[in-house]
């Protein structure tokens, strides 16, 4: 598996993965996705096998009381390629990008029913900081997970 940064020719293939991995209301719109991957304050990593994109992850960062704080927009791996470590490696890649942007913290929303993703974040040291009821839709809560980034291990 090859891990590399996004380039503008990747958008169509990347959005095809979004289409497979999420249904509305969680699926990002195409325009919104285009804005996310083009953000100057973020990084998008691609997982590629035999020249085909099989997953991606997007992180953004912003100033929060003087310290940049990073936010994971999404991590997605095509079903046929899951459980082989691609999600873990993509998570490591976006954490390294966030550290390089001097982010002290990284956080995310995850659907309270998304057991696979919750296991992935917990295995990487994320802790649950709270719940946002009705975040995805009425009756569909998000859990908030966060992790302190250790700047000494910055890539
Ligand atoms: C969440 C998601 C990104 C995880 O991707 P993944 O590539 O399966 O992640 P990993 O392979 O790193 O880890 C998943 C499991 O595979 C196991 N695994 C890791 N490397 C492995 C290997 N070499 N061989 C076998 N299993 C392995 C991990 O232990 C983990 O097991 P667990 O779920 O029982 O704890 C993926 O399930 C997905 O795309 N889900 C849909 C989109 C989504 O919900 N994204 C999260 C948004 S918040």
């Amino acid at each position: 598996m090859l891990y590399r940064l996004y380039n503008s020719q990747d958008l169509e293939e990347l959005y095809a993965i979004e289409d497979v991995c999420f249904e509305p209301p969680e699926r990002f719109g195409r325009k919104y996705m285009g804005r996310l991957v083009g953000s100057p304050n973020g990084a998008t990593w691609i997982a590629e096998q035999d020249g085909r994109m099989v997953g991606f992850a997007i992180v953004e960062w912003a100033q929060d009381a003087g310290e940049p704080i990073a936010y994971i927009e999404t991590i997605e791996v095509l079903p046929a390629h899951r459980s082989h470590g691609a999600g873990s490696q993509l998570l490591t890649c976006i954490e390294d990008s966030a550290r390089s942007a001097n982010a002290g913290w990284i956080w995310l929303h995850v659907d309270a029913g998304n057991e696979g993703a919750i296991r992935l974040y917990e295995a990487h040291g994320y802790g649950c900081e709270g719940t946002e009821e009705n975040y995805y839709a009425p009756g569909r809560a998000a859990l908030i997970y966060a992790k302190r980034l250790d700047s000494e291990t910055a890539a």
Side-chain angles (χ1 to χ4, degrees), residues 2 5 10 31 37 40 67 72 75 81 92 97 120 134 137:
L2 171 76
L5 284 166
D10 291 324
K31 266 192 187 164
V37 296
E67 183 184 59
I72 297 176
I75 302 185
H81 295 272
T92 299
S97 289
L120 176 71
N134 307 315

Side-chain angles (χ1 to χ4, degrees), residues 53-135:
M53 193 186 301
V54 301
F56 68 94
I58 305 174
V59 62
E60 284 198 303
W61 42 82
Q63 293 294 324
D64 181 66
E67 183 184 59
I69 182 161
Y71 180 74
I72 297 176
E73 293 286 351
T74 191
I75 302 185
E76 304 177 26
V77 175
L78 285 173
H81 295 272
R82 290 179 192 164
S83 293
H84 290 88
S88 286
Q89 187 56 49
L90 285 167
L91 184 53
T92 299
C93 289
I94 58 175
E95 287 178 356
D96 286 346
S97 289
R99 280 193 199 90
S100 297
N102 295 317
W105 283 91
I106 187 162
W107 70 289
L108 60 105
H109 288 95
V110 59
D111 191 312
N114 192 342
E115 291 175 12
I118 290 169
R119 267 202 309 276
L120 176 71
Y121 295 126
E122 289 184 346
H124 281 256
Y126 288 71
C128 188
E129 303 284 327
T131 306
E132 251 179 85
E133 299 297 342
N134 307 315
Y135 179 79

